[in-house]
Structure formats: C-alpha cells, structure tokens
Amino acid sequence: MEASVTRPLSGWGRFPVETCRLYRPEKRRALAEILASGQESSWIARGLGRSYGDAALNAGAGVISFERLNRFIGFDPESGVLECEGGTSLEEILRHFLPRGYFPPVTPGTKFVTLGGAIAHDVHGKNHHRAGTISAFLLDFRLLTAEGEILTCSREENPEIFWATVGGTGLTGLVVSARVRLAPVETAYLRVDYRRAGNVEEAVAALTESDHLYEHSVAWIDCLARGSALGRSVLMRANHAKKEEVPTRLGDPLSPRRAAGRSIPFDFPSAALSPLTIRAFNAVFYNAHPTAPGKIVDYDRFFYPLDSIHHWNRMYGKRGFTQYQVVFPAESGLAGLIELLRRLSASGRGSFLGVLKRFGDANAGLLSFPRSGYTLALDLPMEEGLPSFLRELDRLLLDFGGRVYLAKDAVTTAASFAAMYPRLDEFRQIKARLDPRGRLSSSLARRVGIVPGPP
Ligand SMILES: Cc1cc2nc3c(=O)[nH]c(=O)nc-3n(C[C@H](O)[C@H](O)[C@H](O)COP(=O)(O)OP(=O)(O)OC[C@H]3O[C@@H](n4cnc5c(N)ncnc54)[C@H](O)[C@@H]3O)c2cc1C
C-alpha cells in the first residue's frame, strides 16, 4: 500500500495552509489501490499546486499528488494529438514538442500546471476570445471514479461526465490520462503589439474593436490609478510569428536561448508590498511600455513572464495572497469593471498584477468559469479585512451577473457560489451518481458547498 506523509499544504497563494495526508504514487495502477484502501475519509487529486486557494487541499484527509504520473503515452505527428498521463505539465510538453513545432493550444499564465489540473479548472489563456478553453482541444480522457471504475469521457462517450469534469475541480474522479490536440507553430516567438490605454473605457473599447485581429490578447491594468486614469492599461496583443519574421541572429526559431532563472530566496516582510511600492511599480511598468507595434518576443516572456522568478509567491510574505479573478458578462461588463476598480482604488488596496481580458463564448462545462464578457484578475496580499472586502465585491459581482474563478478563489461563500453558478445542481447530481459515498472531496468543495460538510 502507498505510504503517505502528513504535512501542511497550500496552493500558490499560500493561503490557506492546511494539514493533509499526501500520497505520491508512481504508477497509474496505484491510484485505484489508494482509493480502494479506505484509509482516508476522502481524497482529492493535486497537480503542481498552482491553483491559488484550496482546490487541491483536503484538510485532515487525503491528497493524491500526480507529480510522478507525468509520462507521455503516444504522439501522432500527423494530427498533433498527444496522449499523456494526468500529471504531465505544460512545461514538459513545451520542452519536448516545441522544438518539433507544436505548442499547447491553450495555456494559462504559468507553464507549471498539469494537464489534469488544467482540465479540472477548464483553464483559459490569452486566446479565449478565439479558441475557448483547454476542453476545446481535448479529445478524451480516462477518468478513475471514486468507486474504482475507469471511464473514457469525450463529447461522444459519457458526454455528461465530460462536461462535469472540465471545470469540476477534481470532484468527479481522477484524470488518469488524456488526449489533447497540440497547435502547430512555425516558431517559438510572438509578434506583439503594445498599446497604451489611458483608462478602462479606452482599454475595453480597444479590446472589443480589434481583438479579432489577434490570437492572443491581454491588458495589464493599473488598479491604483484614479479619476480619469482609472484602469489605465497596457494592451499586449500578439500572433505567433512566422519563420521569416524571426531575425536570423536569434538562431533556431523553435528553440529560443534561455536566460538563467532567478529566485525569491525568502519571504518578503509584509511592509515590502505597500500601496506606495505598488504605485511606484505600476508607474514604472506603464511608462516602460509605450505604444509599439510588431515586437518579436519569445514565448516565455510573452506567456510566462513570472515563471523565470522561482517562488515569486514569497514576495507576499508569510501571510500569503489571493487572486480575485472575476468575469462580468458582456452586456454589463464595463459598468461592473468601473465600479469594482473604483471600490478597489477607494479601499487603498493595490494589486501588482491586474490583468484584464475579453472572453469569448461559454462552453457546456457545468462549472466552467469563462463566459462572454470581461475578466479581471487581481493579486492581493492576504491581510485582515481582505476576505470580508472580497465578499462585498462578490455581492457587487452578483448585481452585475458575474462570477468568480474557483482556480483562484479562497474566500467566496457557498451562497454566493450557488448564485454565480446556476448549473451547480446538475453537477451535484452527476457527482452523486459517480461518487455515491462522497469519497472525493476538497477543502474548496466543502467551503463553497459543492459537497456537504464543514469547511
Ligand atoms: C502564475 C499563474 C498564472 C495563472 N494563469 C492562469 C490563466 O491565465 N488562466 C487560467 O485558467 N488559470 C490560470 N492559473 C491557474 C492554473 O492554471 C490552475 O489553477 C490549474 O488548475 C493549476 O494546475 P495544477 O496542475 O497546478 O493543479 P492544482 O492546483 O494542483 O489542482 C487544481 C485542481 O485540479 C484538480 N486536479 C489536479 N490534477 C488532477 C487530476 N489528475 N485529476 C483530476 N483532478 C485533478 C485538483 O483536485 C484541483 O481541484 C494561473 C496560476 C498561476 C500560479
């Protein structure tokens, strides 16, 4: 039987920290043995722990790490379809397949996520307006249910389980392996247009008018600017560069030279991140990015600017931080964004990383986050009063018909969550069918009331 270690665990935001029993199986067949062992009251899968809050935590119970279940199973160069274990990371996929001309079709802002974790949150990238979420490129996956059954799930086979599992935060079963279609690319570079927007209205207008010209599009937003500059932004929009666009001095266009990674060696004192330092950083960032078209930028700098700074989450000190990511529907989006930014700016809370993006249409995922509209993501240091402030913002969000993203969330209540995700009951019914004894559970699932039990 697999051994476990009892240890404090957290997500990327380092809040909350909970004691869990961690299992690290090396073979796929061990997964069924662990679930059948009855050693824990419940279990939840864990990838690389890059969700911010408690999605991959299970206080006082079992957490099954997929870190060692990261093997490639097969690849078809004709179609670009890759089959791999659920613990395979985007970083591993990039390392092996980018030199052969393939890129993950959808990628979050870090490559240190597993395919299983990406499916469980139905992740989106900077190309949601054109491509949708990761599930749009998923052919199928094998799901090990809490009762020990292996199900193949796709749009045709077990479709209701497919759509419950994408975005289902690991609660329908363990994604043992999956087949995903990679995107062919000529180079590892992007041709990026930078454009400043003086305030949030201008940013939203630019995203709405010309996003269709770009595969990838995102705006960094200064959340501390006020008055007529409220929400001033730098838009960064890009298409994959063609071979002839990459200067020959850069060498092999599919293998950019790598700069050495840096690391944050210790927890920063909490005073390091005051509104003052954030305001200074924001001013420098804004001024350093004048409007400039057609810059050739390597994929790491464009997609994963923070990945080169290892442990950057230590910058927020021991108390950790959270990311408040929300989506406002297209119809009420701008008014909602303006009101949220006003409240944030009035509260004096700053966010280093404010990111604004336009989403395309929602898919059929029962708990999938993206829907047509505008999404805003804010990294906020954890401090007294923050959870109640964010719960107030949840009420504002509800007034505008929006919702929060569970991959980032650490504070939303069950009542708000139920109001934000109208297909929750459908999800619960499928979960009850697959897991009648409630053996798959997580701290997040109990907190937001997806499953019963104390948080
Ligand atoms: C810097 C940064 C930028 C990010 N940018 C984005 C972004 O742009 N877009 C976006 O959508 N997200 C983004 N994220 C969030 C991230 O993509 C998701 O939280 C993702 O789920 C993390 O994957 P993971 O492998 O670390 O999973 P974990 O965080 O370990 O787990 C996440 C969920 O997946 C479940 N899970 C993990 N493995 C399996 C499995 N094999 N079977 C079943 N369930 C499983 C867990 O139970 C949990 O519910 C970002 C995160 C960071 C840190």
Side-chain angles (χ1 to χ4, degrees), residues 58-360:
N58 199 6
V63 172
I64 304 174
S65 167
F66 269 73
E67 257 175 297
R68 301 205 285 178
L69 295 169
N70 62 346
R71 296 169 192 88
F72 297 131
I73 298 171
F75 181 66
D76 174 14
E78 286 286 299
S79 60
V81 172
L82 170 69
E83 182 172 14
C84 55
E85 290 182 338
T88 309
S89 70
L90 295 194
E91 190 276 329
E92 286 153 340
I93 294 175
L94 281 160
R95 193 156 18 104
H96 287 91
F97 292 98
L98 184 53
R100 296 163 75 172
Y102 295 95
F103 204 81
V106 163
T107 176
T110 172
K111 60 191 170 201
F112 297 112
V113 300
T114 63
L115 192 54
I119 293 170
H121 282 303
D122 198 18
V123 299
H124 58 271
K126 297 176 174 54
N127 58 352
H128 188 272
H129 61 290
R130 290 264 288 254
T133 63
I134 189 75
S135 59
F137 301 89
L138 208 52
L139 275 73
D140 52 33
F141 52 81
R142 266 134 302 284
L143 188 74
L144 172 64
T145 70
E147 295 296 308
E149 211 181 340
I150 290 267
L151 301 174
T152 297
C153 304
S154 67
R155 283 168 188 73
E156 296 77 35
E157 204 172 345
N158 295 310
E160 75 291 0
I161 303 176
F162 180 91
W163 290 115
T165 301
V166 300
T169 71
L171 295 168
T172 56
L174 307 179
V175 174
V176 178
S177 63
R179 289 197 305 149
V180 63
R181 191 186 303 280
L182 303 182
V185 289
E186 285 186 27
T187 75
Y189 291 85
L190 285 297
R191 196 180 56 259
V192 189
D193 289 347
Y194 293 90
R195 174 179 164 181
R196 277 192 197 160
N199 55 37
V200 66
E201 282 99 333
E202 219 181 293
V204 164
L207 292 175
T208 311
E209 275 156 27
S210 45
D211 249 13
H212 63 280
L213 302 174
Y214 299 93
E215 288 172 73
H216 304 281
S217 163
V218 70
W220 165 86
I221 187 160
D222 179 353
C223 304
L224 281 176
R226 291 178 188 212
S228 61
L230 185 81
R232 67 176 177 167
S233 312
V234 178
L235 274 58
M236 297 173 252
R237 298 186 293 173
N239 290 306
H240 279 279
K242 301 212 173 310
K243 236 187 226 157
E244 60 274 17
E245 291 172 322
V246 176
T248 46
R249 67 180 157 76
L250 294 175
D252 178 354
L254 284 167
S255 304
R257 292 180 201 112
R258 218 146 281 300
R262 288 153 292 161
S263 183
I264 303 274
F266 52 81
D267 292 322
F268 275 23
S270 48
L273 271 192
S274 66
L276 208 69
T277 48
I278 293 175
R279 201 179 296 279
F281 169 86
N282 284 354
V284 169
F285 189 92
Y286 189 77
N287 291 321
H289 288 87
T291 295
K295 284 204 164 174
I296 298 294
V297 172
D298 78 66
Y299 75 97
D300 260 325
R301 253 181 72 204
F302 182 73
F303 288 110
Y304 314 117
L306 289 169
D307 278 355
S308 63
I309 309 170
H310 302 302
H311 307 295
W312 66 260
N313 51 351
R314 290 180 182 163
M315 207 168 72
Y316 287 88
K318 282 208 172 73
R319 293 168 81 173
F321 68 114
T322 189
Q323 186 173 96
Y324 191 63
Q325 182 170 359
V326 301
V327 58
F328 286 101
E331 317 79 59
S332 60
L334 183 57
L337 280 172
I338 290 175
E339 186 50 32
L340 193 150
L341 287 171
R342 253 198 217 123
R343 291 207 196 169
L344 186 76
S345 163
S347 78
R349 293 174 202 277
S351 167
F352 258 129
L353 202 79
V355 172
L356 175 67
K357 225 207 100 48
R358 197 168 67 89
F359 274 159

